[in-house]
Amino acid sequence: MRVAFIAAECEPWAKTGGLGDVVDALARALGRIPDGPAGLVDVFLPRYRSVPIPPQAKEAGEIDVPDPASAEGSAAVRVLEAETHGYRLRLIDHPAAFDRPEIYGYDDDVWRFGLFSRAALEVLRRDAVPPDVLHIHDWHSCASAVFRDTFYASDPGLGRAALLLTIHNLAYQGWTPREAFPQLGLPPNDRSVAPDPAGLDLLWAGIVRSELVNTVSPGFAAEALTRRGGFGLDPALRWKGDRFFGILNGLDTEVWNPATDADIPATYDRADRSGKAICRSNVLSELGLDPDDPGPVLGVIGRLDHQKGFDILAEAADRVILGGARLIVLGSGDPTIASQLRGVARGWPDLVAFVEKFDRALARRIYAGSDVFVMPSRFEPCGQGQMIAMRYGTPPIVHRTGGLRDTVVDETSNVGHGTGFVFDRPTPESLVDAVTRATAMFPGGDGATSPEWEGLQDRAMAVDFDWERSSAPAYMAAYRRAVEIRRAGLEAGPRARPRAPLPRPG
Ligand code: ADP
């Protein structure tokens, strides 16, 4: 079983959110489990400007990749390879596409990620041993599914490869209007690839063409099948039947470990949490808040995006503060949400700290130094933040949605068995209610303890999200099943193929 990932992010080289964490952690875990893939997993990643070349990277030569944007019809793309972190990182270096300040957000993203996907397939086509599984992630690599079926169907290697698409985010779909089809090397009037007269939704194409599709928690998979939670793709997902399912993400318990974390001022573990008080006092001083105030400190980390519900938090902030809690917020993104949060911080300069940047080390100090972690996401495919917080002994307050509801047990309704606090509606009122419940139970951050709170922290820290024990074996099983489906379909011949692709849902 040879497996190749094609992904737009991979920690520590390129990350804007959970996608980067998951790609790295899963590739690594697959390399370690018994019955894992043969040889190293390949991880294809664009060489963005911000990607540092690993010192052990080797030049793997230049290949000619069909490139609709170039006058010659093809582009010379440099490939760099490094065996590192337990997998083989294969960087696609094409400065015209990737030597730019940001990872995403350009008008020609369809071309950029189309070229990336095509280059990955061209590299794999030249390998001595072809991949059995192409594991693609989010819309950025979904052009690979179109290309496999359009350009490589009769290739002895790639034509046999099975596709597994993992949806980390259903909201971004790579919409490509017909006039942009040439960016993918497809004729604009091609109806076989895109039955929708308006264009092609790349994520939809990945869904209908992949042998199997999963999302990153069972809870989110269930929501994605509904009109409300499906972002317009629920008909395509329902059409997949049992070929669409959820696999809960794990957490990299080596990367996220308060007992070994070099970025926090004092390490601690489940048996002895005394270091956590030092982390608390340290991060409060660092951010200009009083380290001796015993009230609960709520930590919040994430992309400032409508999805993450930081605006709900901003609206709730006055009530949260008046209830005795303080807030530390780390995040960057949407300027409107950022200015809302700046307003909150200005209103309560001694009680609220808002740090508007992406800072990995500060994030760790906040996970360790906060008393409670807040994640008010409107929707959440899985979420890493709440899992990291639990591992750091910081019970999370989460909205009952997607992966958040799969990973956090509400203490109020399961007294003595909870791992955090869960609220039902994405509203300031519902959030304030959960903060009030947490605050009422919190004994004080000045060294005071209570058996109830200690128990809550202990249960949160005890939850085992390790990739190698559950998620990675579940992906291996999915790879085997995808290969079986692909091989059976090819043997049965084109006329026996199960169902024709759906038109794009309205
Ligand atoms: P998403 O993938 O939707 O952004 P997740 O909760 O799955 O959300 O993953 C977010 C990851 O990114 C976590 O590891 C979190 O700590 C990290 N992160 C998000 N924003 C920041 C930031 N401003 N600084 C540092 N780390 C951040």
Side-chain angles (χ1 to χ4, degrees):
M1 179 75 67
R2 241 205 96 201
V3 178
F5 285 21
I6 307 179
E9 297 185 25
C10 182
E11 175 74 354
W13 295 280
K15 154 168 159 173
T16 68
L19 169 64
D21 288 325
V22 171
V23 166
D24 166 66
L26 175 58
R28 196 164 354 161
L30 286 168
R32 289 203 206 128
I33 55 171
D35 304 324
L40 295 178
V41 168
D42 278 345
V43 177
F44 284 91
L45 180 75
R47 200 226 148 169
Y48 306 108
R49 182 180 294 172
S50 53
V51 171
I53 303 284
Q56 68 276 44
K58 291 197 288 276
E59 293 281 347
E62 254 186 15
I63 54 163
D64 253 350
V65 177
D67 175 14
S70 101
E72 296 81 47
S74 72
V77 168
R78 186 165 81 128
V79 183
L80 292 154
E81 293 181 353
E83 289 183 13
T84 174
H85 291 65
Y87 48 83
R88 176 162 60 164
L89 181 72
R90 305 180 95 174
L91 292 170
I92 299 296
D93 187 18
H94 191 54
F98 301 116
D99 187 10
R100 303 186 187 183
E102 305 296 333
I103 293 182
Y104 309 120
Y106 299 98
D107 288 343
D108 58 354
D109 276 358
V110 165
W111 168 71
R112 298 170 67 226
F113 291 105
L115 184 91
F116 163 60
S117 299
R118 193 78 198 258
L121 296 180
E122 283 295 318
V123 171
L124 289 166
R125 193 167 67 82
R126 289 165 169 78
D127 281 351
V129 184
D132 298 287
V133 176
L134 299 170
H135 188 169
I136 58 179
H137 299 263
D138 281 350
W139 79 264
H140 324 101
S141 48
C142 281
S144 318
V146 178
F147 295 159
R148 180 196 67 175
D149 294 351
T150 311
F151 302 127
Y152 300 99
S154 49
D155 183 271
L158 290 180
R160 276 173 71 77
L163 283 157
L164 170 67
L165 163 64
T166 298
I167 301 175
H168 304 259
N169 196 325
L170 197 51
Y172 297 94
Q173 302 181 353
W175 173 249
T176 310
R178 283 205 177 259
E179 59 274 19
F181 280 18
Q183 291 189 25
L184 294 172
L186 302 170
N189 52 4
D190 188 336
R191 286 292 164 98
S192 63
V193 167
D196 184 331
L200 179 65
D201 181 303
L202 280 169
L203 191 60
W204 172 87
I207 291 169
V208 297
R209 289 173 185 279
S210 294
E211 276 62 37
L212 292 177
V213 180
N214 79 295
T215 186
V216 289
S217 69
F220 188 72
E223 288 163 21
L225 290 169
T226 66
R227 234 182 112 88
R228 254 187 100 174
F231 292 86
L233 292 177
D234 46 298
L237 293 171
R238 282 196 296 275
W239 176 79
K240 294 303 278 189
D242 71 351
R243 295 185 185 187
F244 171 62
F245 47 87
I247 297 178
L248 188 70
N249 278 341
L251 180 71
D252 193 313
T253 49
E254 265 173 39
V255 170
W256 299 104
N257 184 356
T260 55
D261 194 325
D263 287 313
I264 59 177
T267 54
Y268 56 94
D269 58 22
R270 201 178 148 205
D272 175 7
R273 271 191 297 276
S274 51
K276 189 163 168 62
I278 301 171
C279 295
R280 180 184 193 272
S281 132
N282 222 278
V283 78
L284 288 170
S285 306
E286 173 185 349
L287 298 176
L289 305 182
D290 178 4
D292 299 320
D293 179 335
V297 174
L298 313 185
V300 191
I301 300 170
R303 291 181 289 115
L304 304 184
D305 184 291
H306 182 74
Q307 174 198 344
K308 296 288 170 187
F310 282 24
D311 52 319
I312 302 173
L313 176 77
E315 279 180 50
D318 288 352
R319 280 170 277 174
V320 166
I321 301 296
L322 292 169
R326 289 180 292 165
L327 271 176
I328 297 177
V329 185
L330 170 65
S332 60
D334 187 327
T336 315
I337 302 175
S339 86
Q340 240 181 322
L341 290 167
R342 274 196 300 270
V344 173
R346 261 199 311 274
W348 304 98
D350 302 328
L351 303 174
V352 176
F354 171 42
V355 185
E356 193 181 346
K357 60 179 176 184
F358 193 95
D359 184 333
R360 286 177 173 79
L362 177 58
R364 290 170 177 278
R365 295 197 291 277
I366 296 174
Y367 284 119
S370 306
D371 299 310
V372 176
F373 188 74
V374 183
M375 220 157 146
S377 311
R378 288 191 167 81
F379 66 92
E380 192 59 78
C382 179
Q384 292 269 292
Q386 83 283 16
M387 296 199 235
I388 299 169
M390 285 159 77
R391 179 131 171 96
Y392 280 66
T394 309
I397 293 179
V398 301
H399 174 215
R400 191 185 304 282
T401 186
L404 298 178
R405 70 169 176 176
D406 288 338
T407 49
V408 182
V409 178
D410 180 44
E411 171 66 12
T412 315
S413 44
N414 302 274
V415 177
H417 299 283
T419 54
F421 300 88
V422 184
F423 61 95
D424 289 323
R425 282 181 309 282
T427 60
E429 292 67 36
S430 201
L431 169 60
V432 168
D433 174 70
V435 173
T436 309
R437 289 186 273 133
T439 305
M441 193 175 162
F442 184 66
D446 52 353
T449 60
S450 76
E452 290 76 21
W453 192 262
E454 295 267 310
L456 179 69
Q457 283 182 304
D458 184 62
R459 287 189 296 277
M461 291 184 88
V463 179
D464 182 7
F465 292 117
D466 195 272
W467 275 101
E468 289 171 46
R469 278 186 283 278
S470 63
S471 314
Y475 276 100
M476 268 319 286
Y479 296 152
R480 287 191 202 99
R481 192 173 154 219
V483 167
E484 264 171 38
I485 294 172
R486 180 75 185 156
R487 306 263 153 101
L490 291 176
E491 274 150 31
R495 279 196 297 149
R497 293 268 173 79
R499 289 164 289 194
L502 281 178
R504 183 177 182 272

